[in-house]
Amino acid sequence: MPERLLEIEDLRVEFKTRDGIAKVIDNLNISLQTGETLGIVGESGCGKSMTALSIMGLVPIPPGRIAGGRILLDGEDLLQASEPRMREVRGNEISMIFQEPMTSLNPVYSIGDQIAETARLHEGLSRADAMARALEMLRAVGIPAAERRINEYPHQMSGGMRQRVMIAMALACKPRVLIADEPTTALDVTVQAQIFDLLNDLKEKTGTAIIMITHDMGAIAEMAQRVVVMYAGHIIEQADVGQILTDPRHPYTQGLIRCVPHLTQTPSVERPPLLEIPGVVPALSQLGSGCSFAPRCQYADAKCRAEMPPSTAIDSGHDVACWLTEREAAA
Ligand code: SF4
């Protein structure tokens, strides 16, 4: 029976802006089980990266503020943890990889030194043991000729190899949770596929749970077992990946899926047109009382503009926040 490893309960994060208080995360509830991959999907500004920063204890305060909620790692509330305790958590228990590895790797140290330093800091290994761990991790992430390349510097490697190094560094302390924030956006398609295979393979071997943050439904289809769709700081739909891809109910989720060409390309079926979602994510300091997607939604009516739809279970494990579910039930 998989155990609940990480639980986010009623999380609220606000930022003070010149235009007022922006609710960047509003009543977020997520749970992550040991060994699963949870996808968090949405456009820029939906709150998915802020969710990751909240878990890591890296929300810039001020101008940010945790306005409420709990983030429980094995029952320990990380929002109440001291900064020294959070330094232990980051790396030892939860690691993160980012979109652009060059911004996270130090250009003046060899990749072996950087991975070894992580292991020394977090596990107190000797220099020799830490270098042995670095070599082991470089092999695990499929760096060819790892014995030689351990002495190379980041600029001597391709983008795909640097991302593998980032993954090696993130996994060097054998974390229980890996947060991957758009880990393949800067890479070409074949390298993306290799990184997905690598993450899936490492998850199988180590049991590390993964939170995959992306705007790309194609990446979700490759990686996730469960999917949370975020819009303007809220979860608007969540379900197993199969339900989300074959039976998306929220108009925003449907729009995200229509933006992905290969998910609809079955040779025998006439291809629906590739569509974009009109408009942009609203300013979070200007949200009214209604559904935040209403200005972009072809189904919006007066009730949508006046009242925020509650999250409703429409099937086992499939929740949607949209007044269409009520309209369909009444039809
Ligand atoms: Fe569209 Fe209304 Fe559903 Fe919002 S609640 S997504 S406006 S139909």
Side-chain angles (χ1 to χ4, degrees), residues 236 249-252 290-301 303-305 307-309 320-325 327:
I236 51 94
R249 294 300 186 87
H250 196 286
Y252 181 61
C291 170
S292 47
F293 190 61
R296 305 172 74 183
C297 180
Q298 60 178 312
Y299 308 107
D301 66 7
K303 182 167 184 173
C304 296
R305 292 186 191 91
E307 280 180 61
M308 173 84 79
V320 185
C322 173
W323 289 121
L324 282 180
T325 56
R327 277 184 233 168

